[in-house]
Amino acid sequence: MKKVLCCLVAMFITAIGFAQSANDNFAGKWKTDEGAIITISNSNVKFLGVDPKGRPTLYNVRFEKNEWKGTVENHETSQKGNCEIYLQGNKLKIVAHKGIFSKTMYWVKQ
């Protein structure tokens, strides 16, 4: 019983440590895995990220059900998918989903 209680407490503390906040601020310049710079701005409680050519790459980012959710688009492959976004210090973790597939990307604050 003691082990079960310890495991539950550890899981709770871990969940709190990775909790997201509606006050997270993604605004700024972010470097993608491929080296492109995405500029993210805040407009009307949603975030929008555009590439150097002015094309929306990350859009409709909103805080919903205790998570940051949005849409990410790869203009090279013309694919887009839903995503969850996690602010981890100076890194932005983006987990994109398309059907049963998912991909995790890390962008670094510039």
Side-chain angles (χ1 to χ4, degrees), residues 39-104:
T39 303
I40 299 178
S41 60
N42 186 353
S43 62
N44 298 330
V45 193
K46 292 184 181 178
F47 287 93
L48 171 69
V50 294
D51 69 5
K53 295 180 181 178
R55 301 177 294 190
T57 301
L58 184 66
Y59 50 93
N60 198 25
V61 177
R62 72 238 173 254
F63 195 70
E64 181 179 286
K65 298 181 183 176
N66 293 326
E67 279 190 320
W68 283 101
K69 297 181 179 186
T71 304
V72 64
E73 184 170 353
N74 182 337
H75 296 288
E76 304 304 318
T77 62
S78 299
Q79 290 191 6
K80 65 173 93 172
N82 296 326
C83 64
E84 290 90 36
I85 300 151
Y86 306 92
L87 187 60
Q88 299 176 334
N90 71 335
K91 288 188 179 180
L92 201 58
K93 177 182 175 182
I94 302 170
V95 182
H97 305 281
K98 180 149 178 123
I100 61 170
F101 300 102
S102 67
K103 179 181 179 179
T104 301

Side-chain angles (χ1 to χ4, degrees), residues 1 17 23 32 43 51 54:
M1 182 67 174
N23 297 325
T32 68
S43 62
D51 69 5

